[in-house]
């Protein structure tokens, strides 16, 4: 790691901490049960998007290997997983600094749920045969639940 990479990483880390503190300061702790439930929903969605991203990465590797060997049956699955991974990564990035999502963030979360539903449906036909498709489908289903709970 060179000095530039270190400084960029350190600056990004400090900015994230400052943003988190500013966000916490702007939301009084006396927000009651609803504020706590919303914060818990954000935490669950962060965890779900990370899990979905990891499962998608495994599914993508599997699909690419199968396609390279001539099995094109996973092409639709691959296409859906690639799009879903991009959306879950974006969603995680946006919600990572929020404790109370604003209206545009809620819209993104709703879109994330739609992509995860489509990905789950694309993985479902392959879930009995391929463990990575099953894991991706299940992670997408959990992400849909977390998205819908927060977007409501």
């Amino acid at each position: 790691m060179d000095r530039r990479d270190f400084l960029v990483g350190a600056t990004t880390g400090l900015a994230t901490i400052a943003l988190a503190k500013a966000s916490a300061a702007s939301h009084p702790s006396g927000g009651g049960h609803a504020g706590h439930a919303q914060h818990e929903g954000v935490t669950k969605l962060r965890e779900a998007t990370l899990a979905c991203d990891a499962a998608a990465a495994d599914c993508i590797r599997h699909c690419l290997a199968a396609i390279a060997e001539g099995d094109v049956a996973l092409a639709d699955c691959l296409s859906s997983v690639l799009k879903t991974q991009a959306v879950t990564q974006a969603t995680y990035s946006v919600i990572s600094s929020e404790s109370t999502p604003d209206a545009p963030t809620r819209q993104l979360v709703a879109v994330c749920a739609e992509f995860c539903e489509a990905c789950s449906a694309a993985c479902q036909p392959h879930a009995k045969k391929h463990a990575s498709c099953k894991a991706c489908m299940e992670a997408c289903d959990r992400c849909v639940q977390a998205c819908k709970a927060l977007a409501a």
Side-chain angles (χ1 to χ4, degrees):
M1 174 185 289
D2 66 10
R3 187 183 327 179
R4 183 172 184 266
D5 289 339
F6 173 77
L7 290 174
V8 169
T11 303
T12 302
L14 290 173
T16 301
I17 292 169
L19 190 57
K21 285 184 177 183
S23 178
S26 69
H27 302 298
S29 60
H33 180 68
H36 175 71
Q38 198 166 56
H39 178 71
E40 197 173 288
V42 169
T43 300
K44 286 182 180 180
L45 183 54
R46 285 181 192 138
E47 293 168 357
T49 55
L50 285 175
C52 197
D53 180 52
D58 287 341
C59 192
I60 289 167
R61 280 190 291 276
H62 174 76
C63 288
L64 288 173
I67 291 169
E69 292 177 6
D71 181 3
V72 295
L74 295 174
D76 289 340
C77 187
L78 176 62
S79 176
S80 182
V81 174
L82 286 167
K83 290 185 254 181
T84 300
Q85 187 182 44
V87 173
T88 58
Q89 288 173 349
T91 303
Y92 176 82
S93 180
V94 170
I95 65 167
S96 65
S97 63
E98 295 192 22
S99 59
T100 307
D102 57 13
T105 300
R106 288 181 184 282
Q107 291 173 346
L108 174 62
V109 169
V111 168
C112 184
E114 290 178 27
F115 274 88
C116 287
E117 285 175 337
C119 187
S120 176
C123 288
Q124 193 275 330
H126 312 289
K128 289 183 180 178
K129 184 176 180 184
H130 306 287
S132 61
C133 290
K134 180 179 180 189
C136 187
M137 178 186 75
E138 291 171 349
C140 282
D141 290 344
R142 288 188 298 273
C143 197
V144 167
Q145 291 172 353
C147 285
K148 287 184 176 184
L150 190 64

